[in-house]
Amino acid sequence: MALHDAGHAVTVFEAGHTPGGRAQRLSAHAGFGAPLDNGQHILLGAYSATLALMRRLHRNPAEHLWRLPLTLATPNGSFHLRAPRLPAPLHTAAALLGARGLSWAERLAAVRLVRSLQRRAWRPDAATVTDLMREHRQPDALVQRLWRPLCLAALNTTTDAASAALFCAVLRDTLDAPREASDLLLPRTDLSALWPDAAAALCDMRYGHPVRQLAVRPDAVDVDDETFDAVVLAVPPPRAARLLAPLPDASALQHTLDAFSFLPIGTFTLRLARPLAHWPAPMVMLQDDPAQGRHGQWLFDRTRLLGLRSADPEITVVVSDATALAALPRGEAAQALTAQLRAEVHLPEVLASKLVIDKHATFAAVPGLARPDVRTPWPRLVLAGDWTDTGYPGVLEGAVRSGQAAAQALVQSFAQG
Ligand SMILES: Cc1cc2nc3c(=O)[nH]c(=O)nc-3n(C[C@H](O)[C@H](O)[C@H](O)COP(=O)(O)OP(=O)(O)OC[C@H]3O[C@@H](n4cnc5c(N)ncnc54)[C@H](O)[C@@H]3O)c2cc1C
């Protein structure tokens, strides 16, 4: 988009057939009232670059995203935390102190953690989120109720493995920022319609064309058998490593790319005979415990979000770091999720269901992971992707910022001749 706006003609080689990459609409959706996505996505009010990109593409965020104050609530109301419409930072303290389902000691411990991290400019000494919790003496019940679900949702990595630095970066930009930054933004359209379709309309899209070969020259790059002034390589790290391998001086970058590992996310969509009885919010927390076969973490009201007919209600369950779920045969995994729903909500008859598991949903956000800059040893070839050094975990905002940084690097390279 930034390159298009700078006056360049942009050609996109896309291995798939739909715009959006990991955040795309799936083609098969028989039995459902609206297209299914590769996975339910949550955006945050803090996603400033993403929201600006949508506006630039005339996709009004207020129309296409459901904005609600940060709300974490179990279906039965045993836990309920909501950031009130108060000026920052009062909204964070009020949300934590007013949380139902936490003892006073737990609420105060949560406030103490936020205060202490604020004082350190959100730069923790701890390596993992579990280390951070221990260092700040966060009670187990508080970790289970609040920090663990937030960590899984934000980093797609369990607290034992997740980078405390990346977790704190997300907390900083949502809790220690203007109140709107902590809002949850839930898509009201399929993910390709959110903005990728509009971006694709401005480019020469070559769908179904997996790039197989790159060759760099001082002032051009060959993509398979075509020559371009410059290239943004915006594919996942393993694919980038393979494409870069034959280039001169590629070994250091390849070493960095080889260090990434990936974790799955599962999305289970159901069509029901009747609506669910009680929704405290369009997105509610489930009580997961993978060791006990309860994998579902969040439940979304697809009917309300997508404006479907209330006579044909649909719901979506999300499973982050779905390693245990992905190891089960697909039918068994779907049965386990349905059984969990039966235990936690009064589940009406299920008319249709579809479980999608993206096995490489995001990179594992572990401590010490070296993430490459968008610049490479070759001035006319830059990298882009949520896995570059964005300071964010593998999320949409990171991908958008990375793309913008890549475009800026190329514009500079052109200016330098
Ligand atoms: C199930 C799921 C749930 C998620 N939930 C959230 C969420 O709630 N909030 C959030 O912010 N983020 C979420 N994410 C992460 C978010 O989707 C990603 O951060 C974002 O889409 C990454 O964009 P990208 O451009 O970096 O990479 P991708 O979207 O992976 O784009 C890479 C593209 O390269 C193409 N490609 C690969 N190889 C080649 C080749 N050789 N030639 C040509 N094309 C090629 C691929 O087809 C793909 O279109 C989720 C991801 C998944 C999978």
Side-chain angles (χ1 to χ4, degrees), residues 13-16 20-23 38-42 47 209-211 234-236 239 243 265 267 358 361-362 385-386 394-396 399:
F13 292 92
E14 169 52 61
R22 275 171 278 156
N38 185 44
Q40 170 72 48
H41 278 52
I42 309 165
Y47 283 13
H209 184 139
V211 171
V235 299
R239 205 63 64 86
L243 286 166
I265 297 180
T267 306
D358 186 323
T362 70
D386 60 357
V395 291
L396 293 167

Side-chain angles (χ1 to χ4, degrees), residues 25-36 302:
R25 143 184 85 234
L26 301 179
S27 46
H29 57 269
F32 296 95
L36 300 183
R302 216 172 109 85

Side-chain angles (χ1 to χ4, degrees), residues 124 126-132 147-148 150-152 154-168 263 321 363-368 393:
T128 67
V129 173
T130 296
D131 295 340
L132 180 76
W147 301 126
R148 179 180 163 276
L150 285 184
C151 174
L152 271 172
L155 273 65
N156 190 32
T157 309
T158 54
T159 49
D160 285 350
S163 155
L166 283 178
F167 186 53
C168 288
L263 291 167
D321 186 4
F363 66 86
V366 293

